[in-house]
Amino acid sequence: MNERYKNLEFDPEKFREGEEVPAIYTDERVVSQLTGIAVQTLRNDRCMGRGFPYYKEPGRRMVRYFLPEVFECMRRFRVAPGEV
């Protein structure tokens, strides 16, 4: 398993399309690693009301993303050659 994913219960580099995504709540750093989107961009998107769905307890700074929702968003934004 890749060292950068050692805190996850699965290795996203071995994840296959169509497999079930583990129901894991994770932080912005892991989402950044998985998607290639900079942490600051994720923060800016939250501030602007766009981007991935996230969870935040009122009055606290901690933000969590639910991995199945992140992967579903990525699938929705998929563009295949010839479909444009």
Side-chain angles (χ1 to χ4, degrees):
M1 178 179 283
N2 189 317
E3 276 298 306
R4 68 183 184 168
Y5 302 124
K6 65 184 175 188
N7 61 334
L8 294 177
E9 295 176 13
F10 78 113
D11 187 348
E13 293 179 349
K14 295 179 182 176
F15 181 76
R16 292 187 186 86
E17 185 68 30
E19 288 183 359
E20 186 175 331
V21 180
I24 299 173
Y25 287 89
T26 189
D27 63 18
E28 61 191 8
R29 292 173 296 144
V30 173
V31 173
S32 176
Q33 290 174 347
L34 291 172
T35 63
I37 299 171
V39 170
Q40 189 60 50
T41 302
L42 293 170
R43 290 174 182 167
N44 291 342
D45 285 349
R46 287 196 309 266
C47 183
M48 299 299 290
R50 59 183 185 223
F52 300 118
Y54 64 94
Y55 298 85
K56 183 174 191 283
E57 186 178 334
R60 297 195 63 197
R61 294 179 56 182
M62 182 179 66
V63 171
R64 292 289 180 252
Y65 292 91
F66 191 54
L67 279 187
E69 292 177 343
V70 171
F71 276 71
E72 180 57 34
C73 285
M74 296 296 288
R75 286 187 190 109
R76 279 188 282 144
F77 299 126
R78 179 179 175 267
V79 177
E83 291 181 3
V84 180

